Amino acid sequence: KLVALTRQLTQFHLSTRSLFMKTITTKAPTKKVLKKDPDAKKTTTRTKKETGTKRTQAEQNGKTAPKRQRSTKSKKTEPISTSIDEDLTEEVKEMEEPPKFEIGFPCICWSKNWTTGHTFRKSSYSEEKLLTTVKQNITDLENIIRFSATEGFGFFRIGSGFVPFASHEDFIDRVDWISHFKYDFDRIGNLIRDAKIRISMHPDQFVLLNSPKDDIVQRSIAELEYQCKFLDALGLDDTAKVQLHVGGVYGDKESAIDRFVKTYKVLPEIISRRLVIENDDRLFSLKDCLEIHEKTGVPILFDNLHHECLNNEEPLRDAVEAAHATWKEKD
C-alpha cells in the first residue's frame, strides 16, 4: 500500500505541474492605460525645449545627435512546450483515486496569533483564572479548526497545556473542567469531525514512563491520563493519538526499554488505546522503537528528521515501511 501511495503521490505531483503549465497563456502582455495628467502637456513642451537645447549644443560642437530608429519587426511570443502533458494526463487517468495530502501544524497559528497554550504561573492559580484561560484556549482552538478547514489543512496538534495544571497533584480535583466546558467540547468535537481533521497531542519532556523513579512514572501517567480524557471529552475516536518519546537511557538502554515495556503493560486502557511512540534524535532510534513494539504492540510514529540524526543505516523507504506495519486499521 505504501509503495502504491508513493507512486500516486509522484504522479499527482507531475500532473499538477502539467496542469499548471497548460494554464500559462502565450498572449503578449497588455499595455497599461494611464489616466491623463493635466500637467502632461506642460511637461512634454518642457522636455522638447530641453532636447532641442541639447541638440543645438551638440551641433555647435560639430556633432550630430543620433536619431532613434523604431523596429518594424513585430515581436512574437514563443509558446511553451507541453509535449509531456498528454502522457502525464493518461497516467493520472489510470490512478484509482487522487491522493489526499493531510498536512498540518502544531499548537500555534502564527499568522492569526491563535494558540492552544494560554497558561499562567502556578503561584497565581485560582478557579476563576483556570476557567478564563481554558476558555481562551477553546476560542482559539475553534478558530484554528475553522481556519484549517478553510485553508485545506488536515492535521492539528493541540498543546499539551490546554488545561493548565490539569494533572498537578495540588489541583487535579480542584475544578471539574470536563463538565464545566461540556457544551464547548461537544461543539468543537463535532466541528473537528465535520472538517475531517486529524488531532494529536504531544506531552512535554518531563513525561517519562521509563524513569527509575516511581514518583516520576506516576506523575507521567497522570499527565497522559489528563490528555486522553481531554480527547475523550471532545468525542474523538482512537485515531486521535498522544505521541510520546521513549524517555531516558539512564546509563543502560536495555534496562530503560524493559522499564518502558513494564509500565506500558499496566497503563489504563484510556491511555494505551491512544498512545504511540516516536523515534527521537539522540537516544532511541527506530530500531529501539521496533523492539518495544514487538513486546507491547504500541504503534510507532516515524519522524524522518529524527531518523536522519539517529539511525542504524536503514534506507528511508525501509524505515517508513517498518513503522507503517506497526499500525492497525483502528489506529
Side-chain angles (χ1 to χ4, degrees), residues 279-282 284-286 302-317 319-320:
N279 58 304
D280 64 62
D281 59 333
R282 296 186 307 109
F284 291 93
S285 66
L286 173 64
F302 179 71
D303 190 312
N304 64 304
L305 298 180
H306 289 169
H307 184 72
E308 290 294 322
C309 299
L310 181 65
N311 59 70
N312 292 276
E313 300 184 357
E314 307 99 326
L316 182 61
R317 177 170 179 165
V320 172

Short mmCIF file of all heavy atoms in Angstrom, two decimals, residues 279-282 284-286 302-317 319-320:
data_model
loop_
_atom_site.label_atom_id
_atom_site.label_comp_id
_atom_site.label_asym_id
_atom_site.label_seq_id
_atom_site.Cartn_x
_atom_site.Cartn_y
_atom_site.Cartn_z
N ASN A 279 10.33 7.75 17.39
CA ASN A 279 11.79 7.70 17.42
C ASN A 279 12.35 9.11 17.63
O ASN A 279 11.82 10.08 17.08
CB ASN A 279 12.34 7.10 16.12
CG ASN A 279 11.90 7.86 14.89
OD1 ASN A 279 10.69 8.05 14.64
ND2 ASN A 279 12.86 8.32 14.09
N ASP A 280 13.39 9.24 18.45
CA ASP A 280 13.94 10.57 18.70
C ASP A 280 15.30 10.73 18.02
O ASP A 280 15.77 9.84 17.31
CB ASP A 280 14.03 10.86 20.21
CG ASP A 280 14.98 9.92 20.94
OD1 ASP A 280 16.18 9.95 20.61
OD2 ASP A 280 14.55 9.19 21.85
N ASP A 281 15.93 11.87 18.25
CA ASP A 281 17.15 12.21 17.52
C ASP A 281 18.43 11.94 18.29
O ASP A 281 19.53 12.16 17.76
CB ASP A 281 17.11 13.68 17.11
CG ASP A 281 16.98 14.60 18.31
OD1 ASP A 281 16.42 14.16 19.34
OD2 ASP A 281 17.43 15.76 18.24
N ARG A 282 18.33 11.44 19.54
CA ARG A 282 19.54 11.26 20.35
C ARG A 282 19.66 9.90 21.03
O ARG A 282 20.75 9.35 21.14
CB ARG A 282 19.61 12.34 21.45
CG ARG A 282 19.73 13.75 20.92
CD ARG A 282 19.94 14.76 22.06
NE ARG A 282 18.93 14.64 23.10
CZ ARG A 282 19.15 14.16 24.32
NH1 ARG A 282 20.35 13.74 24.66
NH2 ARG A 282 18.16 14.12 25.21
N PHE A 284 16.76 7.01 21.37
CA PHE A 284 16.03 5.81 20.93
C PHE A 284 15.69 5.91 19.44
O PHE A 284 14.87 6.72 19.03
CB PHE A 284 14.77 5.62 21.77
CG PHE A 284 15.05 5.26 23.20
CD1 PHE A 284 15.15 6.25 24.17
CD2 PHE A 284 15.26 3.93 23.58
CE1 PHE A 284 15.43 5.93 25.49
CE2 PHE A 284 15.54 3.60 24.89
CZ PHE A 284 15.62 4.60 25.85
N SER A 285 16.35 5.05 18.68
CA SER A 285 16.17 5.05 17.22
C SER A 285 14.92 4.26 16.84
O SER A 285 14.22 3.69 17.70
CB SER A 285 17.39 4.40 16.56
OG SER A 285 17.46 3.02 16.92
N LEU A 286 14.65 4.21 15.54
CA LEU A 286 13.54 3.40 15.05
C LEU A 286 13.72 1.94 15.45
O LEU A 286 12.75 1.26 15.83
CB LEU A 286 13.44 3.53 13.53
CG LEU A 286 12.41 2.62 12.86
CD1 LEU A 286 11.00 2.94 13.32
CD2 LEU A 286 12.53 2.71 11.34
N PHE A 302 6.67 7.59 12.95
CA PHE A 302 8.01 7.75 12.38
C PHE A 302 8.34 9.21 12.12
O PHE A 302 7.59 9.91 11.43
CB PHE A 302 8.13 6.95 11.08
CG PHE A 302 9.48 7.07 10.42
CD1 PHE A 302 10.60 6.47 10.98
CD2 PHE A 302 9.62 7.79 9.25
CE1 PHE A 302 11.84 6.58 10.37
CE2 PHE A 302 10.86 7.90 8.62
CZ PHE A 302 11.98 7.31 9.19
N ASP A 303 9.45 9.67 12.68
CA ASP A 303 9.95 11.03 12.46
C ASP A 303 11.16 10.95 11.53
O ASP A 303 12.22 10.49 11.94
CB ASP A 303 10.32 11.69 13.79
CG ASP A 303 10.60 13.18 13.63
OD1 ASP A 303 11.36 13.55 12.71
OD2 ASP A 303 10.10 13.97 14.46
N ASN A 304 10.99 11.40 10.29
CA ASN A 304 12.06 11.25 9.31
C ASN A 304 13.27 12.14 9.64
O ASN A 304 14.42 11.78 9.38
CB ASN A 304 11.55 11.56 7.91
CG ASN A 304 11.09 13.00 7.76
OD1 ASN A 304 10.22 13.45 8.51
ND2 ASN A 304 11.63 13.71 6.80
N LEU A 305 13.03 13.32 10.23
CA LEU A 305 14.14 14.20 10.58
C LEU A 305 14.96 13.61 11.74
O LEU A 305 16.18 13.67 11.74
CB LEU A 305 13.62 15.59 10.94
CG LEU A 305 12.88 16.32 9.81
CD1 LEU A 305 12.41 17.69 10.28
CD2 LEU A 305 13.78 16.47 8.59
N HIS A 306 14.27 13.06 12.73
CA HIS A 306 14.98 12.38 13.81
C HIS A 306 15.77 11.19 13.27
O HIS A 306 16.88 10.90 13.74
CB HIS A 306 13.99 11.90 14.89
CG HIS A 306 13.40 13.02 15.69
ND1 HIS A 306 12.33 12.84 16.55
CD2 HIS A 306 13.74 14.33 15.77
CE1 HIS A 306 12.04 14.00 17.11
NE2 HIS A 306 12.87 14.92 16.66
N HIS A 307 15.18 10.51 12.29
CA HIS A 307 15.85 9.34 11.71
C HIS A 307 17.14 9.75 11.02
O HIS A 307 18.11 8.97 11.02
CB HIS A 307 14.90 8.66 10.71
CG HIS A 307 15.46 7.40 10.12
ND1 HIS A 307 15.60 6.23 10.84
CD2 HIS A 307 15.93 7.14 8.86
CE1 HIS A 307 16.12 5.29 10.06
NE2 HIS A 307 16.34 5.82 8.86
N GLU A 308 17.17 10.93 10.44
CA GLU A 308 18.39 11.42 9.80
C GLU A 308 19.50 11.62 10.84
O GLU A 308 20.68 11.45 10.54
CB GLU A 308 18.12 12.74 9.06
CG GLU A 308 17.27 12.59 7.82
CD GLU A 308 17.96 11.78 6.74
OE1 GLU A 308 19.19 11.94 6.58
OE2 GLU A 308 17.29 10.99 6.05
N CYS A 309 19.10 11.99 12.05
CA CYS A 309 20.09 12.23 13.12
C CYS A 309 20.52 10.94 13.81
O CYS A 309 21.68 10.80 14.22
CB CYS A 309 19.51 13.19 14.16
SG CYS A 309 19.06 14.81 13.52
N LEU A 310 19.58 10.00 13.98
CA LEU A 310 19.87 8.77 14.71
C LEU A 310 19.25 7.59 13.98
O LEU A 310 18.03 7.46 13.91
CB LEU A 310 19.32 8.86 16.14
CG LEU A 310 19.56 7.65 17.05
CD1 LEU A 310 21.05 7.45 17.30
CD2 LEU A 310 18.82 7.81 18.37
N ASN A 311 20.09 6.73 13.44
CA ASN A 311 19.58 5.57 12.70
C ASN A 311 20.60 4.44 12.73
O ASN A 311 21.70 4.58 13.27
CB ASN A 311 19.26 5.96 11.25
CG ASN A 311 20.48 6.48 10.52
OD1 ASN A 311 21.41 5.73 10.21
ND2 ASN A 311 20.50 7.79 10.27
N ASN A 312 20.19 3.33 12.17
CA ASN A 312 21.07 2.17 12.05
C ASN A 312 21.32 1.84 10.59
O ASN A 312 21.36 0.67 10.20
CB ASN A 312 20.45 0.97 12.78
CG ASN A 312 20.42 1.18 14.28
OD1 ASN A 312 21.39 0.93 14.98
ND2 ASN A 312 19.29 1.68 14.79
N GLU A 313 21.45 2.90 9.80
CA GLU A 313 21.73 2.82 8.37
C GLU A 313 20.60 2.17 7.58
O GLU A 313 20.82 1.62 6.49
CB GLU A 313 23.06 2.10 8.11
CG GLU A 313 24.26 2.80 8.75
CD GLU A 313 25.58 2.12 8.41
OE1 GLU A 313 25.55 1.09 7.72
OE2 GLU A 313 26.63 2.64 8.81
N GLU A 314 19.38 2.24 8.11
CA GLU A 314 18.25 1.73 7.34
C GLU A 314 17.91 2.75 6.24
O GLU A 314 17.86 3.95 6.51
CB GLU A 314 17.00 1.56 8.22
CG GLU A 314 17.20 0.73 9.47
CD GLU A 314 17.41 1.61 10.69
OE1 GLU A 314 18.01 2.71 10.56
OE2 GLU A 314 16.99 1.21 11.77
N PRO A 315 17.66 2.31 5.03
CA PRO A 315 17.18 3.23 3.99
C PRO A 315 15.84 3.83 4.43
O PRO A 315 15.06 3.18 5.13
CB PRO A 315 17.01 2.33 2.77
CG PRO A 315 17.90 1.16 3.04
CD PRO A 315 17.88 0.95 4.52
N LEU A 316 15.59 5.05 4.03
CA LEU A 316 14.39 5.75 4.46
C LEU A 316 13.13 4.97 4.08
O LEU A 316 12.20 4.87 4.89
CB LEU A 316 14.35 7.15 3.84
CG LEU A 316 13.15 8.02 4.23
CD1 LEU A 316 13.13 8.26 5.73
CD2 LEU A 316 13.19 9.35 3.49
N ARG A 317 13.12 4.41 2.90
CA ARG A 317 11.93 3.67 2.46
C ARG A 317 11.67 2.47 3.37
O ARG A 317 10.53 2.21 3.77
CB ARG A 317 12.13 3.21 1.02
CG ARG A 317 10.99 2.37 0.48
CD ARG A 317 11.13 2.16 -1.00
NE ARG A 317 10.06 1.34 -1.53
CZ ARG A 317 9.76 1.24 -2.81
NH1 ARG A 317 10.45 1.93 -3.70
NH2 ARG A 317 8.80 0.46 -3.22
N ALA A 319 12.60 2.15 6.43
CA ALA A 319 12.21 2.65 7.75
C ALA A 319 10.74 3.03 7.79
O ALA A 319 10.02 2.69 8.74
CB ALA A 319 13.08 3.87 8.11
N VAL A 320 10.27 3.71 6.74
CA VAL A 320 8.86 4.10 6.67
C VAL A 320 7.97 2.87 6.64
O VAL A 320 6.95 2.80 7.34
CB VAL A 320 8.61 4.98 5.43
CG1 VAL A 320 7.12 5.23 5.24
CG2 VAL A 320 9.33 6.31 5.57
#
